Amino acid sequence: RGGVAVSLGGRIVMGTHAIDSHQPTGAAEEALKRLKEGNARFVSGHARFPTVQTEVLAELAKGQRPYATILGSSDSRVPPELLFDAGFGELFVIIRVAGNVLGPSIAGTLQYAGTHLHTPLFIVLGHEGCGAVEAAIAEKFHGAHHRSRIALLLRNIVPALDNLDLTLPPAALLSAAVEANVRWTIRELLASVEGKARLAQGDVQLMGAVYDLVTGRVRFLE
């Protein structure tokens, strides 16, 4: 299983296929470094932000300059600010939604982040044991039925499961599906008019990542 690191203005990698564009901006690389260092502090139990000072809040009230935008899951065990040890004003967290799927309002929020906040790094963050992905597997391969609104949500995930190895044990199959779902969302973003436009500009980087509920580590798909 090859990694995925899609740079909107860098080296675009999907599985084993790669296209050379411009090199990722230094700002995106620095943002990714900060996320990785923050997650390392989180895993080691040395997070920096147990509290926040009122003067920090007062300064942030004047405006925000987040260094990364996160599209993540609504799962209560996956709060991006905590697992990346990020303080107030450092991350722009897109509406957290089951299965970290893309929809019109989420795409609009991503566009806002790029147009007005100018974050250099965008992360699609999945997590192991995702219930939405598990439900999509049950629907696609086992004929399970879900309530109407859940079924609508799963329509965004089911196409990502087409190339799974169904001989895998259930736990491994779910893990592969979680990663496939992250990859699918990245492909959808790249296929959008906005994604293509930002790719042409060469000033941001888009990456996939998967959070491990047991260890607390974030695995970047690169």
Side-chain angles (χ1 to χ4, degrees):
R1 287 155 49 188
V4 169
V6 183
S7 170
L8 297 187
R11 182 172 176 78
I12 309 165
V13 183
M14 286 187 174
T16 58
H17 302 285
I19 302 173
D20 282 322
S21 181
H22 306 291
Q23 288 300 311
T25 64
E29 291 300 309
E30 176 61 24
L32 180 59
K33 179 174 178 287
R34 290 175 68 177
L35 289 180
K36 290 181 176 180
E37 289 174 347
N39 182 239
R41 290 192 301 273
F42 170 77
V43 172
S44 67
H46 294 94
R48 296 178 298 152
F49 299 106
T51 60
V52 63
Q53 298 175 330
T54 55
E55 56 266 30
V56 173
L57 295 178
E59 184 64 26
L60 288 171
K62 301 174 184 178
Q64 60 172 323
R65 293 186 180 87
Y67 66 82
T69 293
I70 311 290
L71 167 56
S73 169
S74 57
D75 193 296
S76 62
R77 301 164 294 178
V78 194
E81 293 89 347
L82 294 183
L83 60 94
F84 289 122
D85 188 29
F88 279 64
E90 292 189 337
L91 299 182
F92 188 69
V93 180
I94 300 301
I95 302 169
R96 291 173 58 188
V97 59
N100 44 272
V101 299
L102 193 61
S105 61
I106 296 170
T109 310
L110 283 164
Q111 188 175 47
Y112 175 84
T115 303
H116 296 285
L117 302 180
H118 307 291
T119 53
L121 180 65
F122 289 74
I123 301 291
V124 177
L125 178 64
H127 67 89
E128 299 291 357
C130 179
V133 174
E134 188 172 24
I137 291 174
E139 178 176 301
K140 183 175 179 67
F141 301 114
H142 306 294
H145 296 283
H146 302 89
R147 302 189 70 167
S148 59
R149 299 296 180 178
I150 297 176
L152 285 173
L153 174 76
L154 297 183
R155 288 180 189 174
N156 294 283
I157 301 175
V158 167
L161 311 180
D162 284 346
N163 297 316
L164 292 179
D165 180 359
L166 299 183
T167 65
L168 291 172
L173 179 65
L174 178 56
S175 181
V178 165
E179 186 170 319
N181 185 47
V182 170
R183 294 169 183 263
W184 178 259
T185 300
I186 289 174
R187 288 184 175 92
E188 284 191 295
L189 287 171
L190 283 177
S192 68
V193 173
E194 296 79 11
K196 291 176 180 177
R198 294 308 299 271
L199 174 62
Q201 292 175 16
D203 58 353
V204 298
Q205 185 173 358
L206 168 64
M207 293 190 69
V210 176
Y211 175 67
D212 190 317
L213 296 174
V214 176
T215 66
R217 294 191 182 280
V218 175
R219 175 171 58 92
F220 290 90
L221 306 182
E222 49 183 351

